[in-house]
């Protein structure tokens, strides 16, 4: 950008140009290009400043993060039933997540597969064996099965 400005001032000190159907003088072009050069320099400075700020933030997070996590854990353990008090700290009590029917069925299938794969062995061997479940497909029940009449006892003669 600076070379373009210098070239205009050296070769066309009192020049007049029509660019894109708009008339410009050399002074107007120099002012226009200088404004762009200043904007680029300001953006570069802001970018460098932002990089420094992000590096400082990351360094502070490394030091403060573990302490903050420990304090949050302490507060959750201390005030686990007092949601109003936790709200004062900007925290919410952690509720256990309930499993969906599909997740429960998949868990039961995996547990059965693991039991089948392990068989009857010692505890060390049992700990090293894991079941493998693939292709569990859930079929939803859309209507209740028809009730069957109770079986009557057989009459003996």
């Amino acid at each position: 950008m600076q070379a373009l400005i210098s070239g205009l001032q050296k070769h066309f000190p009192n020049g007049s140009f029509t660019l894109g159907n708009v008339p410009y003088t050399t002074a107007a072009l120099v002012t226009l290009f200088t404004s762009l050069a200043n904007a680029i320099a300001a953006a570069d400075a802001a970018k460098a400043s932002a990089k420094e700020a992000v590096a400082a933030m990351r360094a502070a997070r490394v030091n403060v993060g573990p302490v903050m996590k420990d304090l949050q854990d302490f507060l959750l353990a201390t005030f686990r039933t007092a949601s109003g008090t936790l709200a004062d700290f900007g925290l919410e009590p952690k509720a256990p997540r309930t499993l969906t029917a599909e997740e429960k069925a998949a868990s039961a299938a995996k547990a059965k597969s693991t039991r089948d794969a392990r068989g009857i062995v010692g505890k060390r061997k049992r700990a090293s064996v894991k079941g493998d479940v693939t292709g569990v497909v859930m079929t939803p029940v859309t209507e209740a099965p028809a009730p069957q009449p109770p079986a009557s006892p057989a009459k003996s003669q």
Side-chain angles (χ1 to χ4, degrees):
M1 192 61 57
Q2 289 299 327
L4 186 60
I5 292 170
S6 297
L8 280 172
Q9 290 173 335
K10 181 177 179 181
H11 295 287
F12 300 103
N14 297 319
S16 177
F17 306 92
T18 301
L19 305 171
N21 293 328
V22 178
Y24 293 99
T25 62
T26 299
L29 288 174
V30 166
T31 303
L32 187 67
F33 294 148
T34 302
S35 68
L36 177 60
N38 292 340
I40 291 171
D44 288 344
K47 187 176 181 180
S49 176
K51 283 184 179 180
E52 292 171 4
V54 168
M57 177 200 62
R58 287 182 179 156
R61 186 179 288 162
V62 166
N63 294 329
V64 177
V67 176
M68 189 169 108
K69 175 72 172 123
D70 290 343
L71 178 61
Q72 288 175 342
D73 291 344
F74 169 78
L75 293 171
L76 287 169
T78 305
F79 302 112
R80 72 176 167 262
T81 58
S83 60
T85 306
L86 285 175
D88 291 341
F89 293 100
L91 300 173
E92 294 180 11
K94 293 184 179 177
R97 187 175 79 82
T98 57
L99 298 176
T100 64
E102 292 83 15
E103 290 171 330
K104 288 179 184 178
S107 176
K110 184 172 182 180
K112 182 178 182 324
S113 174
T114 299
R115 282 191 303 274
D116 292 343
R118 284 185 182 152
I120 300 175
V121 293
K123 66 180 180 180
R124 287 189 199 115
K125 175 75 175 176
R126 203 175 24 226
S128 68
V129 178
K130 302 287 184 221
D132 186 24
V133 176
T134 57
V136 175
V137 177
M138 296 298 301
T139 305
V141 176
T142 56
E143 58 184 54
Q148 296 183 358
S152 59
K155 295 181 185 177
S156 60
Q157 291 186 10

